[in-house]
Amino acid sequence: MKIAIDAMGGDNAPQAIIAGVQRARDEFDDTTFLVFGDEAQIKPLLTDNTRIEIHHTTEVITGEDEPVKSIRRKKQASMVLAAQAVKDGTADAFFSCGNTGAVLASGIFIVGRIKQIARPGLMPTLPTINTDDGFNLLDAGANASSKAEYLYQYGRMGGFYAEDVRGIKNPRIGLLNNGTEYDKGDDIHKEAYQLLKADKAINFIGNVEATNILNGPADVVVTDGFTGNAVLKTIEGTASAMMHILKHNLLESGLKVKIGAGLSKNAFKKVQAKFDTARYGGAVLIGVKAPVVKAHGASDERSVYYAMKQIHEMVAKKTVAKVITYFSSSKTDSK
Amino acid sequence: MKIAIDAMGGDNAPQAIIAGVQRARDEFDDTTFLVFGDEAQIKPLLTDNTRIEIHHTTEVITGEDEPVKSIRRKKQASMVLAAQAVKDGTADAFFSCGNTGAVLASGIFIVGRIKQIARPGLMPTLPTINTDDGFNLLDAGANASSKAEYLYQYGRMGGFYAEDVRGIKNPRIGLLNNGTEYDKGDDIHKEAYQLLKADKAINFIGNVEATNILNGPADVVVTDGFTGNAVLKTIEGTASAMMHILKHNLLESGLKVKIGAGLSKNAFKKVQAKFDTARYGGAVLIGVKAPVVKAHGASDERSVYYAMKQIHEMVAKKTVAKVITYFSSSKTDSK
């Protein structure tokens, strides 16, 4: 198994990426890591180059680059060449912590969309409060405009992922909507409900509301990319705001509270651990011809390691092949 | 000034409603409160009936009732008759803690939409973490489907409210989008951006993202009703999940942490106070011919009191009249 890695994307590149890759290399002895980036920076970071191949690159796509233009213009960028290795059949999967839009564009235009999938979707795994299972949200923002059919395909693809990679038997698929009744939402959501419901091979549980998705009513939450993006960002923003207020109030408060805060530090750490979703891996661009995983720009060694583990699982379980087989044999055919 | 009150809606009706109304009555001596509901239940709750008129009603719209049908069928319901009092000119404003859909339907079909407003929007005031100002989010779910023009009108109406009722000079209007660049989002959001930007009379600051709306980048956050509903529910759900995890971890932890938690209780209370938005009043259905305010179903006496204060302010400042005047004189004309 070979994983192509963009070593130059993200805030902590290439250090965190090389550290995470080395940790994964030590664990997965069936895997070779093709690391794309500046050899002068990468080489000194390698403590052991077993099954790590450096592919020297001269360009980098930054966070400020316009996604689609940059992957066309910067042909020698680490991200572009790593994606190209998958297209060429040299690698089985592609990973980056870089510019989200450019990773999506690399996945869709270089690795390539699966013919029968109308629009690949971005799928992170988010935490659930009472279990360690988490849930998948898709599309979290690959597409600003949606059709009912895209949402139906997200449900189907999310189901394959939840079952294969997360090991959830007969995963519950929910449709994010503005009420639980079947006739809620705009026309797209009403139609998506009917498409999901009509597919007897999936465990569609109906509409779910954003109020309780963190309680885990569904293993896969299907949404259009515009709403999904807003929901994902609202979860991040609200969690971060609450931690901020709590810390601020503890510091501003008198000594008694400060002592209390010091003592209850462990509980705070657990809350942060719950909202630290690194252990679930990165967000998968699902609907392209190979595993494409985008981890957070601020990823550390641990996040990169978990993303490698996640990719290893997807390649070993042939999740993408299952998606292709399913959609090739079903009547669905998209342009 | 006269306020028509549905005394029978919400989990704590009629007790909390009557208690909140009596507190407001003691404060606002220019106001008479027309209380619609079951006289037998209401009368014993009144410690003083000065400027409180009971209008006995025999029907109640419940949380399970289908909104539009119920306001047509239950013509003697407290909610319907309170809204009717505004339509008849007997009252200046309408308040309910009942079935959200039915309150929206009562506002739109009984109180009546302002002719030039395409779609009234539901507008709560939400907390901001570093100030006590809060911000308005609209549409938070009155409409599942949207057009760019609706969003433009939300910006304009939200601005009048933020300035008049919340006292914010030249309020900053932001458009919730999936990125800050002007060309982000689907066609509706791209067009709404241009409409808002073209109106030189408002302080449009461009796109804002859900990640940081609680930091208060805008005083008014404009969004389509489907996304706005999901964002509002995600804020509520995430805040509640975090408090749950924190409490759970404190209880599960050892004695040391428990002592710490006891000592830092005040800080927790402050966090809860921050996310308790009762002091901002209820959600306003803006775009109808009179102030219509919907408070949370779980509202207590305090929430009802603050909603009365908010309505008093809207009536005194003639906020709705300003909206009507503006849209009557502008070129905008909706069907």
Side-chain angles (χ1 to χ4, degrees):
Chain A
M1 182 186 308
K2 286 183 176 175
I3 303 175
I5 288 138
D6 166 16
M8 307 308 283
D11 308 340
N12 308 314
Q15 292 78 5
I17 295 163
I18 299 305
V21 163
Q22 291 196 106
R23 182 170 159 197
R25 184 267 325 279
D26 295 343
E27 185 169 328
F28 304 113
D29 55 19
D30 61 350
T31 307
T32 299
F33 299 83
L34 314 188
V35 171
F36 292 80
D38 179 7
E39 189 164 16
Q41 287 184 65
I42 295 167
K43 224 168 185 174
L45 300 169
L46 284 178
T47 48
D48 166 7
N49 65 6
T50 310
R51 286 179 285 106
I52 293 182
E53 293 176 8
I54 303 176
H55 292 252
H56 179 64
T57 60
T58 51
E59 287 182 301
V60 175
I61 290 175
T62 68
E64 285 67 46
D65 279 326
E66 202 284 312
V68 179
K69 275 184 199 155
S70 65
I71 69 157
R72 287 189 179 141
R73 286 181 189 164
K74 293 185 170 177
K75 299 252 183 245
Q76 299 305 312
S78 54
M79 187 193 289
V80 172
L81 291 171
Q84 190 67 42
V86 176
K87 185 191 169 79
D88 297 343
T90 316
D92 301 296
F94 159 55
F95 170 78
S96 178
C97 301
N99 181 320
T100 306
V103 176
L104 295 176
S106 299
I108 295 166
F109 301 119
I110 303 175
V111 174
R113 173 172 66 85
I114 295 170
K115 196 184 138 213
Q116 291 84 359
I117 299 300
R119 292 286 183 283
L122 187 63
M123 181 181 70
T125 306
L126 299 174
T128 42
I129 63 170
N130 293 314
T131 69
D132 282 332
D133 288 340
F135 70 99
N136 287 110
L137 180 78
L138 79 165
D139 174 19
N143 306 285
S145 303
S146 290
K147 292 183 180 173
E149 187 204 353
Y150 308 172
L151 273 66
Y152 165 63
Q153 293 190 334
Y154 297 150
R156 195 76 221 202
M157 293 192 288
F160 279 111
Y161 181 87
E163 188 136 12
D164 264 9
V165 181
R166 292 166 54 221
I168 294 166
K169 293 252 174 285
N170 197 22
R172 297 158 301 158
I173 318 285
L175 176 65
L176 188 73
N177 211 330
N178 61 352
T180 53
E181 302 85 351
Y182 77 95
D183 60 348
K184 282 288 180 176
D186 57 9
D187 291 344
I188 291 173
H189 291 81
K190 283 178 195 168
E191 192 187 336
Y193 183 102
Q194 296 302 336
L195 291 172
L196 288 160
K197 193 172 142 68
D199 187 341
K200 299 299 169 205
I202 57 172
N203 181 13
F204 179 57
I205 60 157
N207 290 329
V208 294
E209 291 190 85
T211 328
N212 77 331
I213 49 175
L214 296 176
N215 295 326
D219 301 302
V220 176
V221 173
V222 170
T223 173
D224 66 279
F226 194 85
T227 309
N229 187 264
V231 165
L232 177 65
K233 287 175 177 167
T234 304
I235 293 173
E236 289 174 358
T238 307
S240 148
M242 287 199 67
M243 290 310 285
H244 173 90
I245 298 169
L246 211 43
K247 284 179 182 168
H248 177 82
N249 278 311
L250 288 171
L251 290 171
E252 292 287 301
S253 304
L255 184 63
K256 197 176 81 168
V257 174
K258 262 187 225 171
I259 296 170
L263 293 171
S264 53
K265 209 160 63 181
N266 284 338
F268 283 102
K269 279 193 183 153
K270 283 185 190 163
V271 179
Q272 283 184 309
K274 187 52 113 173
F275 278 85
D276 159 31
T277 53
R279 67 202 154 98
Y280 298 125
V284 178
L285 176 64
I286 200 144
V288 294
K289 293 175 183 165
V292 169
V293 171
K294 152 78 180 110
H296 204 282
S299 288
D300 56 10
E301 174 254 338
R302 221 177 115 256
S303 312
V304 174
Y305 160 74
Y306 279 110
M308 294 298 123
K309 199 173 151 81
Q310 170 191 31
I311 291 171
H312 185 269
E313 195 77 7
M314 283 186 80
V315 176
K317 298 277 180 66
K318 300 188 168 56
T319 311
V320 171
K322 283 172 193 163
V323 169
I324 295 174
T325 306
Y326 171 78
F327 281 99
S328 301
S329 61
S330 73
K331 277 159 287 177
T332 315
D333 197 353
S334 296
K335 284 114 265 168
Chain B
M1 180 184 313
K2 286 183 178 177
I3 304 177
I5 290 140
D6 166 16
M8 307 308 284
D11 309 340
N12 308 314
Q15 293 75 7
I17 295 164
I18 299 305
V21 163
Q22 291 196 105
R23 181 168 161 199
R25 183 266 327 273
D26 295 342
E27 186 170 328
F28 304 115
D29 55 19
D30 61 350
T31 307
T32 299
F33 300 83
L34 314 188
V35 172
F36 293 80
D38 178 8
E39 188 163 14
Q41 287 184 64
I42 295 168
K43 223 167 184 174
L45 300 168
L46 284 179
T47 48
D48 166 8
N49 66 4
T50 311
R51 285 178 288 107
I52 294 183
E53 294 174 7
I54 304 178
H55 293 253
H56 180 63
T57 60
T58 51
E59 288 183 299
V60 174
I61 291 177
T62 70
E64 285 67 46
D65 278 327
E66 203 282 312
V68 178
K69 276 183 200 154
S70 65
I71 68 157
R72 286 188 183 145
R73 288 182 190 164
K74 293 187 171 177
K75 299 252 183 244
Q76 299 305 313
S78 54
M79 188 193 287
V80 171
L81 291 172
Q84 190 66 43
V86 177
K87 185 192 168 80
D88 297 343
T90 318
D92 301 297
F94 160 54
F95 170 80
S96 178
C97 301
N99 182 321
T100 306
V103 175
L104 295 176
S106 298
I108 295 167
F109 301 119
I110 302 175
V111 174
R113 173 173 67 85
I114 295 170
K115 194 181 140 214
Q116 293 84 359
I117 299 298
R119 292 286 183 281
L122 187 64
M123 181 181 71
T125 305
L126 300 172
T128 42
I129 63 170
N130 293 314
T131 68
D132 283 331
D133 288 338
F135 70 96
N136 288 108
L137 180 78
L138 79 164
D139 174 20
N143 305 284
S145 304
S146 289
K147 292 185 181 171
E149 187 204 353
Y150 307 174
L151 274 66
Y152 164 63
Q153 293 189 333
Y154 297 151
R156 195 74 221 204
M157 292 191 288
F160 278 111
Y161 181 86
E163 189 138 7
D164 263 10
V165 181
R166 293 167 53 224
I168 293 167
K169 291 250 173 289
N170 197 24
R172 297 158 302 157
I173 318 286
L175 176 66
L176 189 73
N177 210 330
N178 62 351
T180 53
E181 303 84 352
Y182 77 95
D183 60 349
K184 282 288 180 176
D186 57 9
D187 291 344
I188 290 172
H189 291 82
K190 283 178 195 168
E191 193 188 335
Y193 182 102
Q194 296 303 335
L195 291 173
L196 287 161
K197 193 171 139 71
D199 187 340
K200 298 301 169 205
I202 57 172
N203 180 13
F204 179 57
I205 59 156
N207 290 329
V208 295
E209 291 189 86
T211 328
N212 76 332
I213 49 173
L214 296 177
N215 295 325
D219 301 302
V220 177
V221 172
V222 171
T223 175
D224 67 279
F226 193 86
T227 309
N229 187 264
V231 164
L232 177 64
K233 288 175 177 168
T234 305
I235 292 173
E236 288 174 358
T238 308
S240 147
M242 287 199 68
M243 290 311 284
H244 173 89
I245 297 168
L246 210 44
K247 283 179 182 168
H248 177 82
N249 278 310
L250 288 172
L251 291 171
E252 292 287 299
S253 306
L255 184 63
K256 199 177 81 171
V257 174
K258 262 187 226 170
I259 296 171
L263 292 172
S264 52
K265 211 161 61 182
N266 284 337
F268 282 102
K269 279 194 184 151
K270 283 186 189 163
V271 177
Q272 284 184 308
K274 185 54 111 173
F275 278 84
D276 159 30
T277 52
R279 65 201 154 98
Y280 299 125
V284 178
L285 176 65
I286 198 146
V288 293
K289 292 175 185 166
V292 169
V293 171
K294 152 81 180 108
H296 204 284
S299 288
D300 57 9
E301 174 254 337
R302 221 177 114 256
S303 312
V304 174
Y305 160 73
Y306 278 111
M308 292 301 121
K309 199 173 149 83
Q310 169 193 30
I311 291 171
H312 186 270
E313 195 76 7
M314 283 184 80
V315 176
K317 296 279 180 64
K318 301 186 166 57
T319 310
V320 172
K322 283 173 193 162
V323 169
I324 295 174
T325 305
Y326 170 78
F327 281 100
S328 303
S329 61
S330 72
K331 277 159 288 176
T332 315
D333 198 353
S334 295
K335 285 117 265 169

